[in-house]
Protein backbone atom coordinates (compact mmCIF):
# COMPACT_ATOMS: atom_id res chain seq x y z
CA UNK A 1 0.00 0.00 0.00
CA UNK A 2 2.87 2.34 0.87
CA UNK A 3 4.64 1.58 -2.42
CA UNK A 4 1.44 2.35 -4.33
CA UNK A 5 1.11 5.74 -2.63
CA UNK A 6 4.72 6.57 -3.45
CA UNK A 7 4.13 5.57 -7.07
CA UNK A 8 1.00 7.74 -7.29
CA UNK A 9 2.84 10.61 -5.64
CA UNK A 10 5.73 10.30 -8.09
CA UNK A 11 3.31 10.23 -11.02
CA UNK A 12 1.53 13.35 -9.72
CA UNK A 13 4.88 15.09 -9.27
CA UNK A 14 5.88 14.26 -12.83
CA UNK A 15 2.61 15.69 -14.12
CA UNK A 16 3.15 18.91 -12.19
CA UNK A 17 6.68 19.12 -13.55
CA UNK A 18 5.43 18.54 -17.12
CA UNK A 19 2.83 21.29 -16.71
CA UNK A 20 5.53 23.64 -15.44
CA UNK A 21 7.83 22.81 -18.36
CA UNK A 22 5.12 23.27 -20.98
CA UNK A 23 3.99 26.54 -19.39
CA UNK A 24 7.56 27.84 -19.40
CA UNK A 25 8.07 26.81 -23.01
CA UNK A 26 4.75 28.44 -23.96
CA UNK A 27 5.80 31.68 -22.31
CA UNK A 28 9.18 31.60 -24.05
CA UNK A 29 7.41 31.00 -27.36
CA UNK A 30 5.18 34.04 -26.83
CA UNK A 31 8.16 36.20 -25.92
CA UNK A 32 9.90 35.06 -29.11
CA UNK A 33 6.87 35.14 -31.39
CA UNK A 34 5.36 38.50 -30.41
CA UNK A 35 8.23 40.68 -31.76
CA UNK A 36 8.10 38.80 -35.06
CA UNK A 37 4.36 39.16 -35.53
CA UNK A 38 4.56 42.78 -34.38
CA UNK A 39 7.16 43.60 -37.05
CA UNK A 40 5.06 41.86 -39.72
CA UNK A 41 1.83 43.63 -38.75
CA UNK A 42 3.56 47.00 -38.31
CA UNK A 43 4.78 46.78 -41.90
CA UNK A 44 1.12 46.76 -43.03
CA UNK A 45 -0.13 49.30 -40.48
CA UNK A 46 -0.65 53.00 -41.29
CA UNK A 47 2.06 55.24 -39.91
CA UNK A 48 -0.27 57.25 -37.66
CA UNK A 49 -1.61 54.08 -35.99
CA UNK A 50 1.89 52.83 -35.18
CA UNK A 51 2.91 56.20 -33.73
CA UNK A 52 -0.26 56.41 -31.64
CA UNK A 53 0.32 52.89 -30.34
CA UNK A 54 -2.95 51.66 -31.79
CA UNK A 55 -1.29 48.48 -33.03
CA UNK A 56 -1.62 45.76 -30.42
CA UNK A 57 -2.49 42.48 -32.12
CA UNK A 58 -4.63 43.22 -35.17
CA UNK A 59 -4.22 46.60 -36.93
CA UNK A 60 -7.32 48.72 -37.50
CA UNK A 61 -6.48 49.05 -41.20
CA UNK A 62 -3.90 47.81 -43.67
CA UNK A 63 -1.59 49.73 -45.98
CA UNK A 64 1.20 48.88 -48.43
CA UNK A 65 2.80 52.32 -48.21
CA UNK A 66 6.01 50.98 -46.65
CA UNK A 67 6.50 48.36 -49.36
CA UNK A 68 5.63 50.88 -52.09
CA UNK A 69 8.28 53.24 -50.72
CA UNK A 70 10.86 50.44 -50.82
CA UNK A 71 9.99 49.16 -54.29
CA UNK A 72 9.89 52.68 -55.72
CA UNK A 73 13.47 53.24 -54.58
CA UNK A 74 16.17 53.02 -57.21
CA UNK A 75 18.37 49.95 -57.52
CA UNK A 76 16.31 47.85 -55.10
CA UNK A 77 15.95 44.99 -57.58
CA UNK A 78 19.55 45.40 -58.74
CA UNK A 79 20.74 45.09 -55.15
CA UNK A 80 18.46 42.08 -54.63
CA UNK A 81 20.11 40.41 -57.63
CA UNK A 82 23.56 41.24 -56.26
CA UNK A 83 22.73 39.72 -52.88
CA UNK A 84 21.19 36.66 -54.52
CA UNK A 85 24.37 36.15 -56.59
CA UNK A 86 26.59 36.67 -53.54
CA UNK A 87 24.52 34.21 -51.49
CA UNK A 88 24.29 31.44 -54.10
CA UNK A 89 27.87 31.63 -55.39
CA UNK A 90 29.37 32.37 -51.98
CA UNK A 91 27.54 29.51 -50.26
CA UNK A 92 28.53 27.09 -53.03
CA UNK A 93 32.17 28.16 -52.85
CA UNK A 94 32.25 28.08 -49.05
CA UNK A 95 30.70 24.62 -48.87
CA UNK A 96 33.14 23.29 -51.46
CA UNK A 97 36.15 24.69 -49.60
CA UNK A 98 34.80 23.55 -46.22
CA UNK A 99 34.14 19.97 -47.31
CA UNK A 100 37.44 19.61 -49.18
CA UNK A 101 39.31 20.84 -46.12
CA UNK A 102 37.27 19.00 -43.48
CA UNK A 103 37.49 15.57 -45.10
CA UNK A 104 41.30 15.16 -45.13
CA UNK A 105 41.55 16.73 -41.65
CA UNK A 106 39.09 14.13 -40.37
CA UNK A 107 41.56 11.37 -41.28
CA UNK A 108 43.88 10.73 -38.33
CA UNK A 109 46.63 9.37 -40.59
CA UNK A 110 47.04 12.70 -42.44
CA UNK A 111 50.66 13.93 -42.12
CA UNK A 112 50.87 17.24 -40.26
CA UNK A 113 47.20 17.07 -39.25
CA UNK A 114 47.78 18.34 -35.72
CA UNK A 115 49.81 21.33 -36.89
CA UNK A 116 47.24 22.30 -39.53
CA UNK A 117 44.39 22.12 -37.02
CA UNK A 118 46.28 24.31 -34.54
CA UNK A 119 47.00 26.90 -37.22
CA UNK A 120 43.36 26.96 -38.28
CA UNK A 121 42.08 27.23 -34.71
CA UNK A 122 44.59 30.04 -34.09
CA UNK A 123 42.83 32.15 -36.74
CA UNK A 124 39.56 31.83 -34.79
CA UNK A 125 41.03 33.79 -31.89
CA UNK A 126 43.51 36.09 -33.63
CA UNK A 127 42.76 37.80 -36.94
CA UNK A 128 45.00 39.93 -39.11
CA UNK A 129 42.87 43.02 -38.59
CA UNK A 130 41.04 45.27 -40.99
CA UNK A 131 44.00 47.05 -42.62
CA UNK A 132 46.06 43.89 -43.39
CA UNK A 133 42.92 42.20 -44.70
CA UNK A 134 42.19 45.17 -46.94
CA UNK A 135 45.78 45.09 -48.25
CA UNK A 136 45.39 41.40 -49.13
CA UNK A 137 42.11 42.09 -50.94
CA UNK A 138 43.69 45.01 -52.79
CA UNK A 139 46.78 43.03 -53.83
CA UNK A 140 44.50 40.29 -55.17
CA UNK A 141 42.78 42.93 -57.39
CA UNK A 142 39.43 42.28 -55.73
CA UNK A 143 38.68 45.83 -54.58
CA UNK A 144 35.46 47.20 -56.07
CA UNK A 145 34.43 43.81 -57.45
CA UNK A 146 31.60 41.58 -56.32
CA UNK A 147 34.17 38.90 -55.47
CA UNK A 148 35.42 41.08 -52.61
CA UNK A 149 32.16 40.22 -50.85
CA UNK A 150 32.58 36.48 -51.45
CA UNK A 151 36.20 35.29 -51.38
CA UNK A 152 37.45 36.88 -48.08
CA UNK A 153 34.74 35.04 -46.15
CA UNK A 154 34.82 31.81 -48.13
CA UNK A 155 36.08 29.75 -45.18
CA UNK A 156 34.72 29.66 -41.66
CA UNK A 157 36.94 27.63 -39.37
CA UNK A 158 34.09 27.05 -36.93
CA UNK A 159 31.85 25.59 -39.65
CA UNK A 160 34.75 23.52 -40.97
CA UNK A 161 35.33 22.03 -37.50
CA UNK A 162 31.65 21.08 -37.28
CA UNK A 163 31.86 19.22 -40.59
CA UNK A 164 35.19 17.62 -39.64
CA UNK A 165 33.77 16.36 -36.35
CA UNK A 166 30.80 14.85 -38.15
CA UNK A 167 33.11 13.08 -40.61
CA UNK A 168 35.16 11.74 -37.69
CA UNK A 169 32.04 10.22 -36.12
CA UNK A 170 31.66 7.84 -39.07
CA UNK A 171 32.92 4.26 -38.48
CA UNK A 172 36.47 3.59 -39.67
CA UNK A 173 35.25 0.29 -41.09
CA UNK A 174 33.10 2.20 -43.58
CA UNK A 175 36.14 3.96 -44.99
CA UNK A 176 38.18 0.76 -45.03
CA UNK A 177 35.42 -1.03 -46.94
CA UNK A 178 35.40 1.77 -49.52
CA UNK A 179 39.16 1.46 -49.99
CA UNK A 180 38.90 -2.33 -50.39
CA UNK A 181 36.23 -1.81 -53.07
CA UNK A 182 38.67 0.36 -55.00
CA UNK A 183 37.32 3.83 -54.12
CA UNK A 184 39.81 6.65 -54.05
CA UNK A 185 39.56 9.52 -51.54
CA UNK A 186 37.46 11.76 -53.82
CA UNK A 187 35.09 8.96 -54.80
CA UNK A 188 34.73 7.93 -51.16
CA UNK A 189 33.85 11.50 -50.25
CA UNK A 190 31.27 11.93 -53.03
CA UNK A 191 29.68 8.47 -53.02
CA UNK A 192 29.76 7.55 -49.32
CA UNK A 193 30.61 10.38 -46.94
CA UNK A 194 28.46 13.19 -48.33
CA UNK A 195 25.21 11.20 -48.65
CA UNK A 196 25.59 10.15 -45.00
CA UNK A 197 26.41 13.70 -43.88
CA UNK A 198 23.31 15.55 -45.06
CA UNK A 199 22.36 16.83 -41.56
CA UNK A 200 25.62 18.68 -40.97
CA UNK A 201 25.96 19.72 -44.62
CA UNK A 202 22.51 21.33 -44.63
CA UNK A 203 23.09 22.99 -41.26
CA UNK A 204 26.39 24.55 -42.31
CA UNK A 205 24.86 25.55 -45.65
CA UNK A 206 22.23 27.51 -43.73
CA UNK A 207 24.94 29.21 -41.66
CA UNK A 208 26.75 30.36 -44.79
CA UNK A 209 23.54 31.44 -46.51
CA UNK A 210 22.56 33.70 -43.62
CA UNK A 211 26.06 35.21 -43.43
CA UNK A 212 26.18 36.01 -47.15
CA UNK A 213 22.59 37.23 -47.30
CA UNK A 214 23.26 39.70 -44.47
CA UNK A 215 26.58 40.88 -45.92
CA UNK A 216 27.00 44.60 -45.32
CA UNK A 217 30.45 45.53 -44.08
CA UNK A 218 32.25 43.71 -46.88
CA UNK A 219 30.79 46.22 -49.34
CA UNK A 220 31.57 49.16 -47.05
CA UNK A 221 35.18 48.05 -46.66
CA UNK A 222 36.06 46.93 -50.17
CA UNK A 223 33.64 48.49 -52.68
CA UNK A 224 32.41 51.90 -53.77
CA UNK A 225 30.57 51.12 -57.02
CA UNK A 226 26.83 51.80 -56.41
CA UNK A 227 25.92 49.07 -58.90
CA UNK A 228 27.52 46.49 -56.59
CA UNK A 229 25.54 47.43 -53.48
CA UNK A 230 23.96 44.42 -51.76
CA UNK A 231 20.41 44.47 -50.46
CA UNK A 232 21.31 45.30 -46.86
CA UNK A 233 23.21 48.43 -47.90
CA UNK A 234 20.36 49.68 -50.08
CA UNK A 235 17.77 49.01 -47.38
CA UNK A 236 19.82 50.99 -44.87
CA UNK A 237 20.00 53.88 -47.31
CA UNK A 238 16.23 53.70 -47.86
CA UNK A 239 15.55 53.78 -44.12
CA UNK A 240 18.00 56.65 -43.69
CA UNK A 241 16.32 58.60 -46.49
CA UNK A 242 12.87 57.92 -45.05
CA UNK A 243 14.02 59.20 -41.65
CA UNK A 244 15.44 62.35 -43.25
CA UNK A 245 12.25 62.99 -45.21
CA UNK A 246 10.18 62.54 -42.05
CA UNK A 247 12.34 65.10 -40.22
CA UNK A 248 11.76 67.46 -43.14
CA UNK A 249 8.03 67.20 -42.36
CA UNK A 250 7.25 65.24 -45.48
CA UNK A 251 4.72 62.43 -45.24
CA UNK A 252 6.92 59.39 -45.05
CA UNK A 253 5.91 56.32 -42.98
CA UNK A 254 9.28 55.99 -41.24
CA UNK A 255 8.44 53.19 -38.82
CA UNK A 256 6.38 51.39 -41.44
CA UNK A 257 9.30 51.59 -43.90
CA UNK A 258 11.65 50.18 -41.29
CA UNK A 259 9.39 47.24 -40.55
CA UNK A 260 8.76 46.63 -44.25
CA UNK A 261 12.52 46.59 -44.88
CA UNK A 262 13.00 44.00 -42.13
CA UNK A 263 10.27 41.76 -43.55
CA UNK A 264 11.56 42.14 -47.11
CA UNK A 265 15.12 41.22 -46.05
CA UNK A 266 14.02 38.19 -44.00
CA UNK A 267 11.52 36.58 -46.38
CA UNK A 268 14.05 34.64 -48.56
CA UNK A 269 15.80 33.06 -45.57
CA UNK A 270 12.47 32.27 -43.92
CA UNK A 271 11.33 30.54 -47.11
CA UNK A 272 14.48 28.39 -47.23
CA UNK A 273 14.63 27.48 -43.55
CA UNK A 274 11.63 25.06 -43.45
CA UNK A 275 13.34 22.84 -46.03
CA UNK A 276 16.50 22.65 -43.89
CA UNK A 277 14.90 22.57 -40.45
CA UNK A 278 14.76 18.78 -40.12
CA UNK A 279 18.53 18.60 -40.64
CA UNK A 280 19.46 21.63 -38.54
CA UNK A 281 19.40 20.42 -34.91
CA UNK A 282 20.60 16.93 -35.73
CA UNK A 283 23.50 18.21 -37.80
CA UNK A 284 24.78 20.64 -35.18
CA UNK A 285 24.46 18.17 -32.30
CA UNK A 286 26.16 15.30 -34.10
CA UNK A 287 28.85 17.58 -35.44
CA UNK A 288 29.68 18.68 -31.91
CA UNK A 289 30.19 15.17 -30.48
CA UNK A 290 33.90 15.08 -31.14
CA UNK A 291 36.42 17.91 -30.86
Amino acid sequence: MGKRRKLLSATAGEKVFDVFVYATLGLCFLLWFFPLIYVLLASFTPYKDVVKGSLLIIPSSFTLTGYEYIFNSTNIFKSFGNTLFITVVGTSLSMTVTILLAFPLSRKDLPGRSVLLKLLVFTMYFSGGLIPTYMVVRNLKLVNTIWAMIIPGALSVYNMLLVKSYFESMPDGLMDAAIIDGCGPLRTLVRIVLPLSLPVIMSVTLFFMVDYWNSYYSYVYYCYDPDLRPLQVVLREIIKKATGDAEAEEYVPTITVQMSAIVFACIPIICVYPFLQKYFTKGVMLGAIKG
Side-chain angles (χ1 to χ4, degrees), residues 80 83-84 87 209-215 231-232 265 268-269:
F80 184 88
T83 298
L84 188 62
T87 302
M209 285 181 60
V210 173
D211 287 341
Y212 281 114
W213 184 262
N214 292 326
S215 61
L231 181 63
Q232 308 301 335
I269 297 298

Side-chain angles (χ1 to χ4, degrees), residues 239-261:
I239 294 174
K240 186 177 180 180
K241 181 178 183 298
T243 304
D245 291 343
E247 292 175 353
E249 297 183 354
E250 297 183 23
Y251 176 73
V252 178
T254 311
I255 299 177
T256 305
V257 170
Q258 293 175 354
M259 300 304 178
S260 301

